[in-house]
Amino acid sequence: MLKTFVANGELPGSITVKEYDGRYFPASIPDIASQWKLMQSFEADSNDVIICSYPKSGFHWIWEVVTMLFNNTSNISKELPAKYILEFGAVSKVQQSPPPRVLGSHLYYEELPVSIRQKKCRLINVIRDPRAVAVSSFHFFTKIKEAKLKGTWSGYLNLFLDGKVMFNDWFHHAQLWESVRQSNSDNPIHVLYYEDAKKNPFYEFKRLARFLQLDVKESTIMAIAEKTKFSEMKAPKEAAIGHNFGNAFAGNKYPLYRKGQEDDWKSYFTLQQNAEFEQIYKERMQYNKVQLKSIVNPGNNDTGCVEDTRYGSKL
């Protein structure tokens, strides 16, 4: 069922999603009920790896890294990572592929195919600063034709904070995954922080290889870190992708890459918006073990937000 959400108060903003069982999906996905049923029938292999993240948290990037680690190469894949997202119809495409398969999902743990949970497949939980997620998703969803995203950045931020966007609330997603990590000690789950991987990719990719029990030379990991830099990966990857998935997007082109920066959010958040966001984060995440240092204890040089208040405020 299509549902359109409107930002609160006088903030201009609205977005259209497709609701199924309380979850919000891109409006362009056809027959979600059938796809959901097909996804649940997926027969996982114990060697499969699933990258689990909220949208716009770095799935495509980490998929490339994990694929390279498995193949013991620094060559960029010609595949489109989105093809391997379970809820987007990946099941029919990869069921016959030989394991280990590198898959992805933006769903909650309990929503993953039963076989993935039963076989205790390795899961990689990617977490990114929600301010960066909000800005990245604002630009991405603007390009989805059927999302009909209208209004300003401030209107979208209001919708994001209320969880009235595709794949629902970021905070709820983070809290549920932390609960899973605490209550499923027998299911191997690796937490990867997007910002940490940006700052020190060699170290984080080495940790990934260790978690995946892969014997990859440090020289290869170093090459992977270099080849998966945004500036290195953007052109060849876009050339390989071409116009796949383009029909659903403005300009008939899949908008996979924009900037790939960890602090681009500072160009959009006003100082007031950032202060409000930090307060909301501290209130909603106060009982979580996972605490993003850039929010709960920012350094003196960490707040580089735009000075003016042309976008207004949520509160």
Side-chain angles (χ1 to χ4, degrees):
M1 178 179 69
L2 290 177
K3 177 173 286 190
T4 297
F5 292 117
V6 179
N8 295 328
E10 299 179 356
L11 295 174
S14 64
I15 188 172
T16 297
V17 300
K18 184 172 286 187
E19 182 182 18
Y20 176 75
D21 198 23
R23 299 286 269 127
Y24 308 143
F25 297 92
S28 56
I29 296 182
D31 196 359
I32 293 178
S34 295
Q35 290 206 38
W36 192 274
K37 183 177 180 180
L38 177 63
M39 180 188 71
Q40 291 301 332
S41 70
F42 177 69
E43 188 59 37
D45 183 271
S46 59
N47 293 311
D48 289 337
V49 175
I50 299 85
I51 301 170
C52 304
S53 67
Y54 189 85
K56 310 310 295 178
S57 296
F59 162 74
H60 289 80
W61 177 38
I62 302 305
W63 185 92
E64 296 288 347
V65 172
V66 174
T67 299
M68 287 176 170
L69 289 172
F70 266 117
N71 293 329
N72 202 8
T73 180
S74 59
N75 294 327
I76 296 174
S77 169
K78 293 183 179 181
E79 293 274 21
L80 181 61
K83 290 168 55 178
Y84 294 91
I85 298 179
L86 292 166
E87 59 269 25
F88 289 170
V91 172
S92 59
K93 298 182 180 70
V94 303
Q95 186 69 75
Q96 303 305 318
S97 300
R101 294 163 293 201
V102 183
L103 307 172
S105 179
H106 301 315
L107 300 175
Y108 307 140
Y109 179 78
E110 292 77 10
E111 296 172 330
L112 294 174
V114 175
S115 62
I116 289 177
R117 290 176 276 138
Q118 288 179 336
K119 296 187 177 181
K120 309 298 182 185
C121 295
R122 289 186 180 86
L123 307 176
I124 301 171
N125 187 197
V126 183
I127 301 175
R128 187 182 187 185
D129 188 319
R131 294 169 297 190
V133 171
V135 169
S136 183
S137 60
F138 170 63
H139 287 280
F140 187 81
F141 295 155
T142 297
K143 294 180 174 63
I144 299 180
K145 295 176 183 177
E146 293 189 39
K148 300 177 183 177
L149 180 58
K150 300 177 181 178
T152 62
W153 153 246
S154 61
Y156 178 79
L157 178 59
N158 179 273
L159 291 167
F160 181 86
L161 287 169
D162 285 344
K164 296 177 179 178
V165 292
M166 297 174 204
F167 290 94
N168 304 63
D169 182 39
W170 182 93
F171 297 94
H172 188 56
H173 188 280
Q175 290 164 344
L176 285 181
W177 270 99
E178 175 162 302
S179 176
V180 167
R181 295 194 300 271
Q182 293 177 353
S183 59
N184 292 270
S185 58
D186 59 335
N187 198 149
I189 303 176
H190 177 82
V191 178
L192 185 144
Y193 298 99
Y194 179 96
E195 284 75 17
D196 287 349
K198 278 286 185 178
K199 292 176 182 176
N200 195 342
F202 171 75
Y203 174 75
E204 293 300 330
F205 297 168
K206 188 175 179 179
R207 288 181 65 236
L208 260 181
R210 189 181 306 122
F211 168 73
L212 297 170
Q213 298 181 342
L214 298 174
D215 185 16
V216 184
K217 292 181 179 179
E218 289 193 353
S219 58
T220 301
I221 296 176
M222 187 70 75
I224 291 173
E226 187 64 30
K227 287 290 185 70
T228 55
K229 286 182 178 179
F230 186 84
S231 58
E232 295 291 325
M233 198 165 60
K234 186 175 189 297
K237 201 64 186 180
E238 286 186 339
I241 291 171
H243 290 279
N244 289 319
F245 290 98
N247 291 337
F249 297 90
N252 296 320
K253 186 177 181 181
Y254 184 59
L256 178 56
Y257 297 99
R258 192 176 70 88
K259 289 188 176 181
Q261 299 175 358
E262 64 266 30
D263 59 356
D264 182 52
W265 62 267
K266 296 178 183 179
S267 300
Y268 292 84
F269 275 77
T270 64
L271 290 171
Q272 184 177 359
Q273 285 175 335
N274 186 51
E276 292 169 347
F277 196 101
E278 288 182 354
Q279 184 60 37
I280 291 170
Y281 178 94
K282 292 173 183 176
E283 290 174 355
R284 296 196 60 182
M285 303 291 285
Q286 60 180 310
Y287 300 114
N288 281 51
K289 289 186 177 181
V290 168
Q291 294 291 334
L292 297 173
K293 291 182 290 185
S294 59
I295 296 181
V296 298
N297 187 28
N300 293 332
N301 299 320
D302 193 65
T303 304
C305 305
V306 291
E307 292 288 347
D308 62 77
T309 57
R310 64 184 184 278
Y311 293 120
S313 167
K314 177 184 184 293
L315 303 178

